[in-house]
Amino acid sequence: MNSPVNLFASVPKRSSRAPAAPFLPMSRAEMDKLGWDSCDIILVTGDAYIDHPSFGMALVGRLLEAQGYRVGIISQPDWTSVEPFRALGKPNLYWGITAGNMDSMVNRYTADRKIRSDDAYTPNAEPNKRPDRAVTVYCQRAREAFPGVPVIAGSIEASLRRIAHYDYWSDKVRRSVLFESKADLLIFGNAERALVDVTRRIAAGENIKNIRDLRGTAFLVPHGWLPDDEWSVHNSTRVDVPGRVDPHPNPYAMAQEDTKACATENAQPEPVVKPVVIMTREERQAAARAKAQKTVVRLPSFETVSEDPVMYAHASRVFHLESNPGNARALVQQHGDRDVWLNAPPLPLAMDEMDNVYDLPYARAPHPSYGKAHIPAWEMIRYSVNIMRGCFGGCTFCSITEHEGRIIQSRSEPSILREIELIRDTTKNFAGTITDLGGPTANMYRLACKDKKIEESCRRLSCVYPTICSNLGTDHSKLISLYRKARAIPGIKKILIGSGLRYDLAVRSPEYVKELVTHHVGGLLKIAPEHTEQGTLSKMMKPGIGAYDEFKRLFDKYSIEAGKKQYLIPYFIAAHPGSTDEDMLNLALWLKKNNFKLDQVQTFTPTPMAMATTMYHSGKNPLAKVTEDSEVVETAKSGKTRKLHKAFLRYYDPENWPVLREGLKRMGRGDLIGTGERHLVPPPGAEPAPDWDRKRMVPGGTPVGEREVGKRGPGTGRSSGAGRDKVQVRVERAPAAAVVASSKARPSILDTIKAKPKAGRK
């Protein structure tokens, strides 16, 4: 495998306070103003072009521009014609194709497979501005526009479809996107290093078909292809039908049995003497690493996994176990007479590399051609700062780990503070509030394994499940320091934290919780327990609800000390694999007991390659060894059951009462239908008790009006569409976290009516 390329080896350092370069051109007229007769690289995206590092095409475009290349952008082209793909002429080096910041299918469809009415990444939120499976469509059109020009696919959609994968929208296992798109190369994960390297090599005249040694790339090769003779193949399973079997030799034959052969030929060959080599532990480990670097793991073929759910689950497990860039081996999967070859994942960017990427001269605004159009994704992140990438949580429903990796890549404190000053000085209508310092998770900034050697050899799927690893550093002091310095910048009135919080980590640092609650919560704080029941949580790889209770205790304590009424906004998922009807009922009872009313709730959406998607499709649990007899994961697949699970999260809504009544009777829980405190829904025709009034009362009699949280969308560099719908949460009644200490909630009868799990449930 090639050595890591230095992203900025030949790029002169520039001040982050320097004025932004002109927007990358989106038309011939803009190219003419720049004096260009052609573009070296043309990037095609399904999003509006917003020149901000939270948008992939802007980040990639500025990175390549910094290397001296001329980069053009084709944003949201009309895919029904080839002409929009000819707008900037023929690229000199290659096409770069992406669906945008979200998977196009997640972007266009709800969890119920219905077309969405808006698109947060499009001017005026207009829908239908990108096709289904946009990477495939754009690649085909680019190839048609200028045959012979190399096509490179990337972004989250390409990353999550790089091998055979279950596709929820067609309800079948589909081939690698490399086949349908006919891309020459697919770059997955953090693409900067591979992209710079491949661009330099193509510019130097190297044929893209010969570039086969870059980490984080996938491509098609003839079946059985190996880079060289030193490589070996390791089959991932013994379930395969064995090949040719040689007959057993005669154990008593000391020589050839042909008596006519001469004595020399008939003699037993001299044994080859091999010296015994005593190796130290370090030498053995080094030898093992060297062997792994020349070993490819063969996954079950597309034909096998498309027909056998058990083998699909096995392939998913092996794929995720080979995801640590410190020890991951290459993977290969047969599709007919060709193989999809995946090199090892990309190495994480170092802190100075992260700084260089984010310090590039972004215009930090939408392209002027959009005029005053409303672009929701931009408005959400315009005053926010991305401080890190990656997530070591490993939640099975989320695609961040598959895309960005589980090793945290953080920016330096000075780089982040410079960007805050840049927002203050250059962003229109800035009123002094930074809306987020975060990323995929709010509080993983600069958290890492205590020992680099341990990190490189680790095979765990999560650093925090089933327990927080003893080798994981959980010290939040660097994040606390960042918060304090950020809010001390002149002109900055408030620093809010909008990214989701990993509360099981936060409780390890009460000082962090105090800092957060005292200075950085604008009344509402998002956290994601996702569920309350252990059976479901174990399939999510999420901590038990006890971790939420501990965080809530600290949140209450420090809110009171700060003299503030503040609210925890929890997120939950309906119909997740492993979640039974009883689990959802128990969650509904917990919500009622804790006075939560969820508005637009989340229903599980199986996204390609996520481990929860494997559970949904195969009914097997890939978190443990997969066999025919291994654990079966109960999953809500029918529309009726998914509707019931979603209704449990909105138990208070009269529109859901008929569905809930039917479901409760079917479950033998008709005792929960009534108008009393212990009931979940009222009977047909009955007037609801005062407790059902939308103007709820907190203990002590203080009325609480409605509070809204905006839709969860792109965030600051987050990997959107990770197995959940966009969501709004409304607090109809102050949760216990917002109640003053002296007003203690009275015991609830709901404590006594928790549903029992099914017998034999694991």
Side-chain angles (χ1 to χ4, degrees):
M1 199 67 65
N2 66 312
S3 57
V5 64
N6 187 331
L7 291 179
F8 294 90
S10 59
V11 179
K13 293 286 183 180
R14 68 177 85 205
S15 169
S16 64
R17 304 300 297 273
F23 283 87
L24 301 176
M26 292 212 303
S27 67
R28 280 282 192 173
E30 292 173 85
M31 290 173 59
D32 292 340
K33 286 183 180 179
L34 295 171
W36 297 3
D37 59 353
S38 63
C39 293
D40 296 320
I41 301 141
I42 296 178
L43 305 175
V44 182
T45 176
D47 294 340
Y49 170 35
I50 299 173
D51 198 53
H52 186 282
S54 287
F55 293 82
M57 282 301 94
L59 187 149
V60 166
R62 291 300 190 189
L63 175 68
L64 293 172
E65 178 191 49
Q67 306 293 321
Y69 301 104
R70 295 175 296 182
V71 182
I73 299 277
I74 296 178
S75 169
Q76 298 189 315
D78 177 7
W79 66 92
T80 62
S81 168
V82 73
E83 290 308 314
F85 292 79
R86 293 174 175 154
L88 302 183
K90 181 179 179 180
N92 300 323
L93 299 180
Y94 62 83
W95 293 95
I97 307 295
T98 167
N101 273 22
M102 290 180 69
D103 183 283
S104 61
M105 301 304 287
V106 177
N107 180 283
R108 283 177 46 77
Y109 294 91
T110 70
D112 297 324
R113 299 189 179 97
K114 296 178 181 178
I115 287 281
R116 295 188 189 275
S117 59
D118 60 0
D119 182 342
Y121 294 86
T122 300
N124 296 318
E126 288 186 50
N128 304 316
K129 289 294 184 179
R130 73 188 78 213
D132 289 355
R133 302 181 176 86
V135 165
T136 292
V137 176
Y138 291 160
C139 284
Q140 292 173 347
R141 281 287 186 243
R143 182 80 73 189
E144 183 181 351
F146 295 106
V149 176
V151 176
I152 299 176
S155 79
I156 189 168
E157 179 169 316
S159 281
L160 299 187
R161 299 171 185 271
R162 57 191 186 261
I163 61 171
H165 56 279
Y166 173 72
D167 182 83
Y168 172 65
W169 298 271
S170 58
D171 193 26
K172 66 179 183 180
V173 177
R174 298 178 73 96
R175 296 186 301 174
S176 163
V177 71
L178 281 163
F179 280 89
E180 295 177 349
S181 69
K182 297 180 171 57
D184 296 292
L185 192 69
L186 185 155
I187 300 181
F188 58 86
N190 299 293
E192 289 93 343
R193 191 175 283 116
L195 193 61
V196 168
D197 203 341
V198 74
T199 305
R200 291 175 181 173
R201 292 167 68 172
I202 293 175
E206 192 169 350
N207 190 320
I208 194 171
K209 298 291 186 183
N210 298 328
I211 300 176
R212 295 291 184 254
D213 59 345
L214 294 179
R215 278 180 168 269
T217 60
F219 42 85
L220 297 179
V221 292
H223 177 57
W225 176 89
L226 292 173
D228 57 52
D229 294 339
E230 295 181 6
W231 279 75
S232 61
V233 180
H234 174 73
N235 284 322
S236 68
T237 175
R238 297 180 181 179
V239 179
D240 296 337
V241 177
R244 181 176 64 87
V245 178
D246 293 322
H248 291 291
N250 181 350
Y252 300 103
M254 301 301 293
Q256 296 181 20
E257 295 182 359
D258 184 359
T259 55
K260 297 180 180 179
C262 69
T264 302
E265 292 175 340
N266 199 37
Q268 189 173 6
E270 289 290 329
V272 177
V273 178
K274 294 183 178 181
V276 177
V277 178
I278 307 299
M279 301 174 67
T280 65
R281 182 171 178 240
E282 290 73 19
E283 289 173 332
R284 290 197 304 273
Q285 291 175 339
R289 284 194 295 270
K291 182 179 179 181
Q293 291 174 0
K294 291 283 188 176
T295 299
V296 61
V297 177
R298 180 167 289 281
L299 300 173
S301 69
F302 161 73
E303 290 76 15
T304 299
V305 299
S306 63
E307 298 293 335
D308 188 340
V310 175
M311 294 299 284
Y312 182 95
H314 162 78
S316 174
R317 175 170 171 78
V318 173
F319 173 88
H320 285 86
L321 288 173
E322 297 293 339
S323 62
N324 181 350
N327 58 39
R329 295 168 289 186
L331 300 173
V332 66
Q333 185 178 52
Q334 183 179 359
H335 289 58
D337 61 352
R338 305 185 78 184
D339 283 344
V340 175
W341 183 285
L342 281 72
N343 281 326
L347 296 173
L349 297 187
M351 183 175 286
D352 63 333
E353 292 177 311
M354 285 282 285
D355 288 352
N356 284 329
V357 168
Y358 284 89
D359 283 347
L360 291 169
Y362 302 96
R364 303 187 66 86
H367 190 273
S369 63
Y370 302 127
K372 296 183 179 180
H374 161 71
I375 306 177
W378 158 241
E379 293 175 4
M380 172 172 274
I381 60 90
R382 66 190 304 180
Y383 305 129
S384 64
V385 179
N386 191 12
I387 64 174
M388 46 78 70
R389 286 184 191 168
C391 180
F392 49 67
C395 300
T396 62
F397 53 81
C398 182
S399 60
I400 292 173
T401 298
E402 285 87 346
H403 184 55
E404 295 186 1
R406 62 172 50 92
I407 296 175
I408 302 303
Q409 302 160 75
S410 300
R411 296 169 63 184
S412 72
E413 201 174 73
S415 174
I416 295 166
L417 299 178
R418 286 196 299 269
E419 185 171 348
I420 295 173
E421 293 176 347
L422 199 62
I423 293 173
R424 177 197 63 190
D425 297 340
T426 63
T427 308
K428 290 183 179 180
N429 303 318
F430 179 65
T433 299
I434 298 295
T435 55
D436 191 22
L437 291 182
T441 306
N443 61 319
M444 289 187 183
Y445 177 71
R446 299 188 68 174
L447 298 189
C449 189
K450 296 175 182 178
D451 188 321
K452 191 68 177 176
K453 292 182 179 179
I454 294 175
E455 178 185 87
E456 290 177 348
S457 61
C458 182
R459 307 281 287 182
R460 282 182 61 154
L461 296 173
S462 170
C463 299
V464 292
Y465 184 86
T467 59
I468 296 176
C469 179
S470 59
N471 293 308
L472 177 66
T474 58
D475 179 13
H476 286 55
S477 60
K478 292 183 176 66
L479 187 54
I480 294 171
S481 172
L482 174 63
Y483 286 176
R484 290 173 178 171
K485 292 179 181 178
R487 66 175 186 264
I489 294 174
I492 300 300
K493 300 175 182 177
K494 188 76 174 177
I495 302 280
L496 299 176
I497 302 304
S499 297
L501 188 78
R502 189 78 194 200
Y503 54 86
D504 52 340
L505 285 173
V507 298
R508 292 287 187 95
S509 178
E511 183 185 5
Y512 169 74
V513 179
K514 182 176 182 178
E515 190 79 15
L516 176 76
V517 170
T518 304
H519 300 286
H520 302 286
V521 177
L524 304 172
L525 181 67
K526 296 184 298 185
I527 58 173
E530 309 295 6
H531 218 285
T532 57
E533 304 307 293
Q534 192 56 43
T536 305
L537 291 170
S538 68
K539 303 303 182 294
M540 296 176 168
M541 289 211 297
K542 291 284 289 185
I545 200 66
Y548 165 85
D549 294 334
E550 175 62 16
F551 179 78
K552 172 182 165 298
R553 183 187 67 79
L554 293 174
F555 186 89
D556 285 352
K557 174 184 176 183
Y558 295 127
S559 292
I560 293 166
E561 289 181 4
K564 297 181 177 181
K565 283 190 175 182
Q566 300 187 133
Y567 302 82
L568 288 179
I569 303 299
Y571 287 92
F572 298 93
I573 296 179
H576 190 278
S579 186
T580 64
D581 294 350
E582 288 79 7
D583 288 338
M584 294 307 302
L585 169 58
N586 289 334
L587 176 50
L589 295 174
W590 185 91
L591 290 171
K592 184 179 180 186
K593 173 189 172 185
N594 288 278
N595 310 316
F596 284 118
K597 286 190 174 182
L598 311 183
D599 194 358
Q600 296 183 15
V601 302
Q602 306 158 78
T603 303
F604 172 71
T605 301
T607 53
M609 290 199 338
M611 298 193 85
T613 300
T614 298
M615 299 178 198
Y616 178 93
H617 168 62
S618 69
K620 291 292 184 178
N621 183 6
L623 302 179
K625 184 178 179 180
V626 178
T627 66
E628 292 282 355
D629 302 322
S630 62
E631 179 186 2
V632 175
V633 180
E634 186 172 342
T635 301
K637 288 189 175 182
S638 72
K640 183 176 181 180
T641 305
R642 285 169 67 86
K643 186 176 181 180
L644 173 64
H645 285 202
K646 185 176 180 180
F648 272 125
L649 292 182
R650 289 172 49 86
Y651 66 89
Y652 66 91
D653 188 344
E655 292 185 3
N656 290 326
W657 290 347
V659 173
L660 290 172
R661 290 185 194 114
E662 180 186 350
L664 289 171
K665 289 177 182 177
R666 187 175 65 251
M667 296 165 63
R669 297 309 308 267
D671 58 300
L672 295 178
I673 302 173
T675 56
E677 179 192 1
R678 70 181 305 276
H679 299 115
L680 190 64
V681 296
E687 288 294 325
D691 191 48
W692 293 98
D693 190 1
R694 292 182 67 84
K695 288 284 186 180
R696 304 296 297 276
M697 305 290 288
V698 301
T702 305
V704 176
E706 296 181 3
R707 300 283 302 272
E708 287 195 357
V709 179
K711 287 184 179 180
R712 294 185 87 183
T716 50
R718 298 178 214 21
S719 195
S720 298
R724 63 174 76 216
D725 255 344
K726 294 176 182 177
V727 58
Q728 285 184 331
V729 180
R730 185 167 59 231
V731 181
E732 298 289 354
R733 179 182 180 186
V739 179
V740 179
S742 59
S743 55
K744 193 172 182 180
R746 59 197 174 103
S748 171
I749 195 169
L750 293 171
D751 290 337
T752 67
I753 57 174
K754 187 171 182 178
K756 295 180 180 179
K758 287 186 176 180
R761 171 91 180 270
K762 292 185 179 180

